[in-house]
Amino acid sequence: MLILQIIIKQWDKSQRSPAHIKLRATIPGRYPINFPPAFYAFDQQCIIDQQGDDLQGNRLNYSLDTNGKLLFDRFQINFDHHILTYLGDKSMAKLEDIGSLNNQWLQCHYNSRYAIYQSDYYYWLYEAVTLNAIHLNQLDEHIFLTTQPAIIYQDINDLDIIRKPI
């Protein structure tokens, strides 16, 4: 059984103060698997547990391609081999295999920003995403709390490197 836990932190430009940054830092990077919000998907082969913000609604879409690969956000997972691959954002031309999800969990971090049009104006919506993923034979609701990730992968982009004054 594939278990995906996605934690999304979203904020706009008005929430970039040191107090807001400190508040976001207190949000956990892992949770127990609870139903709901977790749910089964793809003929009960997968549990998806989305935590945190989704200000626009339906932030993440999941699909299964004809080759048996689960595609979501910036990732793909081969259902046959349980290999997590990072696709990156749309500007990346390379795929990066992060590792096997068999009986070990991997954690991935990345951030992004989106131009949002709402109430007759545009604004930037920033986000930081954490993915916790594992493939187990039997569900352990506390796996992300009782063990450490085998790999922690970080895609740090220009939003982290170039910090502009607030």
Side-chain angles (χ1 to χ4, degrees):
M1 172 177 313
L2 181 63
I3 303 169
L4 304 176
Q5 184 175 78
I6 300 98
I7 301 148
I8 303 172
K9 301 176 194 178
Q10 294 179 328
W11 64 96
D12 65 30
K13 190 174 183 177
S14 70
Q15 299 166 318
R16 296 186 310 159
S17 72
H20 287 104
I21 292 168
K22 187 175 181 179
L23 182 62
R24 280 192 298 277
T26 64
I27 297 171
R30 49 180 130 166
Y31 293 87
I33 306 297
N34 292 315
F35 294 89
F39 61 92
Y40 286 94
F42 306 106
D43 294 325
Q44 298 201 5
Q45 295 181 69
C46 182
I47 294 174
I48 298 173
D49 181 26
Q50 184 175 328
Q51 301 282 338
D53 302 320
D54 189 359
L55 299 176
Q56 298 299 304
N58 298 317
R59 164 62 182 82
L60 295 175
N61 296 308
Y62 306 88
S63 64
L64 196 57
D65 73 7
T66 56
N67 296 322
K69 292 180 182 171
L70 173 63
L71 302 169
F72 65 100
D73 210 29
R74 296 184 179 191
F75 300 95
Q76 87 179 9
I77 298 173
N78 183 309
F79 261 114
D80 294 331
H81 305 290
H82 309 116
I83 301 295
L84 176 66
T85 302
Y86 185 66
L87 306 174
D89 65 12
K90 293 176 179 136
S91 66
M92 288 185 68
K94 65 175 182 143
L95 304 178
E96 187 170 347
D97 284 345
I98 306 230
S100 171
L101 298 173
N102 285 322
N103 298 310
Q104 65 179 7
W105 68 279
L106 309 181
Q107 185 175 70
C108 302
H109 301 276
Y110 65 92
N111 61 32
S112 189
R113 70 178 180 176
Y114 306 93
I116 302 296
Y117 183 74
Q118 187 175 30
S119 302
D120 294 330
Y121 71 95
Y122 284 96
Y123 69 94
W124 286 112
L125 181 64
Y126 299 89
E127 71 177 15
V129 178
T130 299
L131 167 69
N132 299 323
I134 190 168
H135 181 268
L136 296 172
N137 291 330
Q138 183 175 339
L139 174 61
D140 175 355
E141 296 90 353
H142 301 285
I143 189 71
F144 298 128
L145 299 177
T146 58
T147 61
Q148 295 299 314
I151 297 172
I152 298 175
Y153 177 84
Q154 295 199 31
D155 178 20
I156 304 301
N157 65 24
D158 290 343
L159 294 177
D160 285 329
I161 297 168
I162 304 169
R163 294 278 183 192
K164 296 183 179 176
I166 298 172

